[in-house]
Every structure is written in C-alpha cells, then in structure tokens.
Amino acid sequence: MHPRNLAPAQTLPWRSWYSLQSWRTRAKHQLHEHPLCALCDEQGRVTPATIADHHPRHGGDYNKFVLGPLRSLCRDCHQGVWAVDKRGYSHAVGDDGYPIDPRHPFNAA
Ligand SMILES: [Zn+2]
C-alpha cells in the first residue's frame, strides 16, 4: 500500500475516515453507479439509496474501508429498519436477557 494511504488509518479513528475526501468521492461514485437501495431491491421495493455501505463490514480495517466492496442502501435499510422482515424475528432482548420476540428461534424451541 502507498504510504500516503496508510496515514488516515494511523492517525484517525475509523469514524473519521468517512469525512475524508477520498471516501466522499468513492461513496458518491457508488451511489451514482447503483442509485437504488440493494436490500429494498431484493424485496421488490424501489427506493433511492442515500448511503454507501461497506458489505461486508470493514471492521476498522483501513484496507477494507478503502478497497472493500460497497452496496447502496436507503436510510431505513442502513438503520436495520427492515431487518426483522428479512430474518423473520427481532433480536431484541428483555430485562432477563432472553429474546422477547415469540418468533425468535429461542422461544420457538
Ligand atoms: Zn432500502
């Protein structure tokens, strides 16, 4: 890797990487190439994407942040609003630490 590209990884927390011009350019390009939300598209919804999401997640790895694959998402998908639809149940847990959704496999067992 070019030393110039190592600098942000070493000097900035990963959340700051999103404010780098190189990321803004890449995210803009992603949304230009793939203007619709990938997850909505899978479910037959046509939704304009507003967020370039690392998929799989970069996990704080600058190499993956810069080079890893991206997908376009709408705000709702990025926030996991539809996650329950896809999985079929919620991962939310109650005060006792057990899943509260009756559809969760734990409760179905
Ligand atoms: Zn979506």
PDB file of all heavy atoms in Angstrom, residues 65-85:
ATOM      1  N   PHE A  65     -11.780  -0.654   4.282  1.00  0.00           N
ATOM      2  CA  PHE A  65     -12.546   0.586   4.165  1.00  0.00           C
ATOM      3  C   PHE A  65     -12.344   1.190   2.773  1.00  0.00           C
ATOM      4  O   PHE A  65     -13.288   1.651   2.133  1.00  0.00           O
ATOM      5  CB  PHE A  65     -12.093   1.587   5.234  1.00  0.00           C
ATOM      6  CG  PHE A  65     -12.807   2.907   5.164  1.00  0.00           C
ATOM      7  CD1 PHE A  65     -14.063   3.060   5.721  1.00  0.00           C
ATOM      8  CD2 PHE A  65     -12.217   3.992   4.532  1.00  0.00           C
ATOM      9  CE1 PHE A  65     -14.728   4.273   5.642  1.00  0.00           C
ATOM     10  CE2 PHE A  65     -12.882   5.216   4.449  1.00  0.00           C
ATOM     11  CZ  PHE A  65     -14.140   5.347   5.013  1.00  0.00           C
ATOM     12  N   VAL A  66     -11.109   1.175   2.316  1.00  0.00           N
ATOM     13  CA  VAL A  66     -10.776   1.808   1.041  1.00  0.00           C
ATOM     14  C   VAL A  66     -11.104   0.904  -0.142  1.00  0.00           C
ATOM     15  O   VAL A  66     -11.578   1.372  -1.177  1.00  0.00           O
ATOM     16  CB  VAL A  66      -9.277   2.186   1.013  1.00  0.00           C
ATOM     17  CG1 VAL A  66      -8.863   2.673  -0.365  1.00  0.00           C
ATOM     18  CG2 VAL A  66      -9.001   3.256   2.053  1.00  0.00           C
ATOM     19  N   LEU A  67     -10.859  -0.391   0.014  1.00  0.00           N
ATOM     20  CA  LEU A  67     -10.943  -1.302  -1.130  1.00  0.00           C
ATOM     21  C   LEU A  67     -12.110  -2.282  -1.068  1.00  0.00           C
ATOM     22  O   LEU A  67     -12.455  -2.897  -2.074  1.00  0.00           O
ATOM     23  CB  LEU A  67      -9.642  -2.108  -1.237  1.00  0.00           C
ATOM     24  CG  LEU A  67      -8.360  -1.281  -1.417  1.00  0.00           C
ATOM     25  CD1 LEU A  67      -7.135  -2.161  -1.281  1.00  0.00           C
ATOM     26  CD2 LEU A  67      -8.382  -0.557  -2.745  1.00  0.00           C
ATOM     27  N   GLY A  68     -12.705  -2.456   0.103  1.00  0.00           N
ATOM     28  CA  GLY A  68     -13.761  -3.453   0.266  1.00  0.00           C
ATOM     29  C   GLY A  68     -14.997  -3.128  -0.533  1.00  0.00           C
ATOM     30  O   GLY A  68     -15.243  -1.974  -0.877  1.00  0.00           O
ATOM     31  N   PRO A  69     -15.787  -4.164  -0.843  1.00  0.00           N
ATOM     32  CA  PRO A  69     -16.996  -3.947  -1.633  1.00  0.00           C
ATOM     33  C   PRO A  69     -18.021  -3.071  -0.913  1.00  0.00           C
ATOM     34  O   PRO A  69     -18.095  -3.074   0.314  1.00  0.00           O
ATOM     35  CB  PRO A  69     -17.546  -5.367  -1.844  1.00  0.00           C
ATOM     36  CG  PRO A  69     -16.836  -6.240  -0.883  1.00  0.00           C
ATOM     37  CD  PRO A  69     -15.567  -5.562  -0.478  1.00  0.00           C
ATOM     38  N   LEU A  70     -18.787  -2.350  -1.716  1.00  0.00           N
ATOM     39  CA  LEU A  70     -19.829  -1.469  -1.187  1.00  0.00           C
ATOM     40  C   LEU A  70     -21.182  -1.888  -1.728  1.00  0.00           C
ATOM     41  O   LEU A  70     -21.267  -2.563  -2.757  1.00  0.00           O
ATOM     42  CB  LEU A  70     -19.578  -0.018  -1.615  1.00  0.00           C
ATOM     43  CG  LEU A  70     -18.291   0.648  -1.167  1.00  0.00           C
ATOM     44  CD1 LEU A  70     -18.184   2.038  -1.789  1.00  0.00           C
ATOM     45  CD2 LEU A  70     -18.231   0.739   0.341  1.00  0.00           C
ATOM     46  N   ARG A  71     -22.219  -1.490  -1.042  1.00  0.00           N
ATOM     47  CA  ARG A  71     -23.572  -1.616  -1.589  1.00  0.00           C
ATOM     48  C   ARG A  71     -24.308  -0.318  -1.251  1.00  0.00           C
ATOM     49  O   ARG A  71     -23.992   0.350  -0.256  1.00  0.00           O
ATOM     50  CB  ARG A  71     -24.294  -2.827  -1.007  1.00  0.00           C
ATOM     51  CG  ARG A  71     -24.499  -2.733   0.480  1.00  0.00           C
ATOM     52  CD  ARG A  71     -25.212  -3.953   1.034  1.00  0.00           C
ATOM     53  NE  ARG A  71     -25.272  -3.860   2.495  1.00  0.00           N
ATOM     54  CZ  ARG A  71     -25.825  -4.768   3.281  1.00  0.00           C
ATOM     55  NH1 ARG A  71     -26.339  -5.863   2.751  1.00  0.00           N
ATOM     56  NH2 ARG A  71     -25.846  -4.621   4.587  1.00  0.00           N
ATOM     57  N   SER A  72     -25.263   0.022  -2.081  1.00  0.00           N
ATOM     58  CA  SER A  72     -26.049   1.225  -1.855  1.00  0.00           C
ATOM     59  C   SER A  72     -27.260   0.874  -1.001  1.00  0.00           C
ATOM     60  O   SER A  72     -27.928  -0.124  -1.239  1.00  0.00           O
ATOM     61  CB  SER A  72     -26.519   1.796  -3.196  1.00  0.00           C
ATOM     62  OG  SER A  72     -25.418   2.097  -4.009  1.00  0.00           O
ATOM     63  N   LEU A  73     -27.516   1.690   0.015  1.00  0.00           N
ATOM     64  CA  LEU A  73     -28.662   1.452   0.892  1.00  0.00           C
ATOM     65  C   LEU A  73     -29.460   2.731   1.093  1.00  0.00           C
ATOM     66  O   LEU A  73     -28.910   3.833   1.016  1.00  0.00           O
ATOM     67  CB  LEU A  73     -28.193   0.965   2.271  1.00  0.00           C
ATOM     68  CG  LEU A  73     -27.525  -0.393   2.376  1.00  0.00           C
ATOM     69  CD1 LEU A  73     -27.213  -0.688   3.847  1.00  0.00           C
ATOM     70  CD2 LEU A  73     -28.403  -1.490   1.793  1.00  0.00           C
ATOM     71  N   CYS A  74     -30.743   2.576   1.379  1.00  0.00           N
ATOM     72  CA  CYS A  74     -31.544   3.711   1.822  1.00  0.00           C
ATOM     73  C   CYS A  74     -31.317   3.844   3.332  1.00  0.00           C
ATOM     74  O   CYS A  74     -30.751   2.960   3.969  1.00  0.00           O
ATOM     75  CB  CYS A  74     -33.026   3.504   1.499  1.00  0.00           C
ATOM     76  SG  CYS A  74     -33.823   2.190   2.444  1.00  0.00           S
ATOM     77  N   ARG A  75     -31.800   4.947   3.878  1.00  0.00           N
ATOM     78  CA  ARG A  75     -31.577   5.198   5.297  1.00  0.00           C
ATOM     79  C   ARG A  75     -32.223   4.108   6.171  1.00  0.00           C
ATOM     80  O   ARG A  75     -31.631   3.643   7.139  1.00  0.00           O
ATOM     81  CB  ARG A  75     -32.135   6.581   5.661  1.00  0.00           C
ATOM     82  CG  ARG A  75     -31.958   6.969   7.095  1.00  0.00           C
ATOM     83  CD  ARG A  75     -32.205   8.448   7.303  1.00  0.00           C
ATOM     84  NE  ARG A  75     -31.146   9.263   6.731  1.00  0.00           N
ATOM     85  CZ  ARG A  75     -30.009   9.539   7.378  1.00  0.00           C
ATOM     86  NH1 ARG A  75     -29.812   9.096   8.592  1.00  0.00           N
ATOM     87  NH2 ARG A  75     -29.081  10.260   6.810  1.00  0.00           N
ATOM     88  N   ASP A  76     -33.426   3.707   5.806  1.00  0.00           N
ATOM     89  CA  ASP A  76     -34.123   2.704   6.614  1.00  0.00           C
ATOM     90  C   ASP A  76     -33.353   1.391   6.658  1.00  0.00           C
ATOM     91  O   ASP A  76     -33.213   0.772   7.710  1.00  0.00           O
ATOM     92  CB  ASP A  76     -35.530   2.458   6.058  1.00  0.00           C
ATOM     93  CG  ASP A  76     -36.496   3.571   6.471  1.00  0.00           C
ATOM     94  OD1 ASP A  76     -36.100   4.429   7.276  1.00  0.00           O
ATOM     95  OD2 ASP A  76     -37.631   3.561   5.977  1.00  0.00           O
ATOM     96  N   CYS A  77     -32.875   0.951   5.505  1.00  0.00           N
ATOM     97  CA  CYS A  77     -32.130  -0.306   5.474  1.00  0.00           C
ATOM     98  C   CYS A  77     -30.824  -0.177   6.246  1.00  0.00           C
ATOM     99  O   CYS A  77     -30.416  -1.091   6.952  1.00  0.00           O
ATOM    100  CB  CYS A  77     -31.846  -0.726   4.038  1.00  0.00           C
ATOM    101  SG  CYS A  77     -33.302  -1.400   3.216  1.00  0.00           S
ATOM    102  N   HIS A  78     -30.176   0.968   6.106  1.00  0.00           N
ATOM    103  CA  HIS A  78     -28.913   1.166   6.807  1.00  0.00           C
ATOM    104  C   HIS A  78     -29.116   1.102   8.314  1.00  0.00           C
ATOM    105  O   HIS A  78     -28.280   0.618   9.057  1.00  0.00           O
ATOM    106  CB  HIS A  78     -28.295   2.514   6.412  1.00  0.00           C
ATOM    107  CG  HIS A  78     -26.915   2.712   6.947  1.00  0.00           C
ATOM    108  ND1 HIS A  78     -26.633   3.624   7.928  1.00  0.00           N
ATOM    109  CD2 HIS A  78     -25.747   2.093   6.648  1.00  0.00           C
ATOM    110  CE1 HIS A  78     -25.322   3.557   8.207  1.00  0.00           C
ATOM    111  NE2 HIS A  78     -24.769   2.638   7.446  1.00  0.00           N
ATOM    112  N   GLN A  79     -30.276   1.573   8.762  1.00  0.00           N
ATOM    113  CA  GLN A  79     -30.557   1.557  10.201  1.00  0.00           C
ATOM    114  C   GLN A  79     -31.188   0.243  10.644  1.00  0.00           C
ATOM    115  O   GLN A  79     -31.552   0.085  11.803  1.00  0.00           O
ATOM    116  CB  GLN A  79     -31.484   2.730  10.555  1.00  0.00           C
ATOM    117  CG  GLN A  79     -30.784   4.070  10.399  1.00  0.00           C
ATOM    118  CD  GLN A  79     -31.702   5.242  10.697  1.00  0.00           C
ATOM    119  OE1 GLN A  79     -32.906   5.082  10.796  1.00  0.00           O
ATOM    120  NE2 GLN A  79     -31.114   6.410  10.831  1.00  0.00           N
ATOM    121  N   GLY A  80     -31.340  -0.689   9.695  1.00  0.00           N
ATOM    122  CA  GLY A  80     -31.854  -2.009  10.061  1.00  0.00           C
ATOM    123  C   GLY A  80     -33.346  -2.036  10.291  1.00  0.00           C
ATOM    124  O   GLY A  80     -33.860  -2.953  10.929  1.00  0.00           O
ATOM    125  N   VAL A  81     -34.044  -1.036   9.774  1.00  0.00           N
ATOM    126  CA  VAL A  81     -35.489  -0.959   9.998  1.00  0.00           C
ATOM    127  C   VAL A  81     -36.210  -2.200   9.462  1.00  0.00           C
ATOM    128  O   VAL A  81     -37.156  -2.685  10.059  1.00  0.00           O
ATOM    129  CB  VAL A  81     -36.063   0.316   9.346  1.00  0.00           C
ATOM    130  CG1 VAL A  81     -37.586   0.268   9.312  1.00  0.00           C
ATOM    131  CG2 VAL A  81     -35.584   1.543  10.090  1.00  0.00           C
ATOM    132  N   TRP A  82     -35.697  -2.718   8.347  1.00  0.00           N
ATOM    133  CA  TRP A  82     -36.358  -3.848   7.703  1.00  0.00           C
ATOM    134  C   TRP A  82     -35.764  -5.194   8.119  1.00  0.00           C
ATOM    135  O   TRP A  82     -36.179  -6.227   7.629  1.00  0.00           O
ATOM    136  CB  TRP A  82     -36.271  -3.739   6.189  1.00  0.00           C
ATOM    137  CG  TRP A  82     -36.697  -2.421   5.658  1.00  0.00           C
ATOM    138  CD1 TRP A  82     -35.871  -1.418   5.238  1.00  0.00           C
ATOM    139  CD2 TRP A  82     -38.036  -1.949   5.489  1.00  0.00           C
ATOM    140  NE1 TRP A  82     -36.622  -0.349   4.815  1.00  0.00           N
ATOM    141  CE2 TRP A  82     -37.950  -0.648   4.957  1.00  0.00           C
ATOM    142  CE3 TRP A  82     -39.289  -2.503   5.738  1.00  0.00           C
ATOM    143  CZ2 TRP A  82     -39.080   0.102   4.668  1.00  0.00           C
ATOM    144  CZ3 TRP A  82     -40.406  -1.749   5.448  1.00  0.00           C
ATOM    145  CH2 TRP A  82     -40.297  -0.455   4.923  1.00  0.00           C
ATOM    146  N   ALA A  83     -34.783  -5.165   9.002  1.00  0.00           N
ATOM    147  CA  ALA A  83     -34.061  -6.397   9.336  1.00  0.00           C
ATOM    148  C   ALA A  83     -34.996  -7.477   9.850  1.00  0.00           C
ATOM    149  O   ALA A  83     -34.814  -8.649   9.579  1.00  0.00           O
ATOM    150  CB  ALA A  83     -32.970  -6.105  10.362  1.00  0.00           C
ATOM    151  N   VAL A  84     -36.008  -7.084  10.605  1.00  0.00           N
ATOM    152  CA  VAL A  84     -36.939  -8.065  11.149  1.00  0.00           C
ATOM    153  C   VAL A  84     -37.675  -8.786  10.021  1.00  0.00           C
ATOM    154  O   VAL A  84     -37.857  -9.993  10.054  1.00  0.00           O
ATOM    155  CB  VAL A  84     -37.942  -7.378  12.105  1.00  0.00           C
ATOM    156  CG1 VAL A  84     -39.041  -8.340  12.502  1.00  0.00           C
ATOM    157  CG2 VAL A  84     -37.212  -6.872  13.342  1.00  0.00           C
ATOM    158  N   ASP A  85     -38.047  -8.010   8.992  1.00  0.00           N
ATOM    159  CA  ASP A  85     -38.731  -8.604   7.839  1.00  0.00           C
ATOM    160  C   ASP A  85     -37.913  -9.720   7.219  1.00  0.00           C
ATOM    161  O   ASP A  85     -38.407 -10.788   6.930  1.00  0.00           O
ATOM    162  CB  ASP A  85     -38.943  -7.548   6.740  1.00  0.00           C
ATOM    163  CG  ASP A  85     -40.041  -6.586   7.131  1.00  0.00           C
ATOM    164  OD1 ASP A  85     -40.726  -6.885   8.105  1.00  0.00           O
ATOM    165  OD2 ASP A  85     -40.179  -5.567   6.456  1.00  0.00           O
TER     166      ASP A  85
END
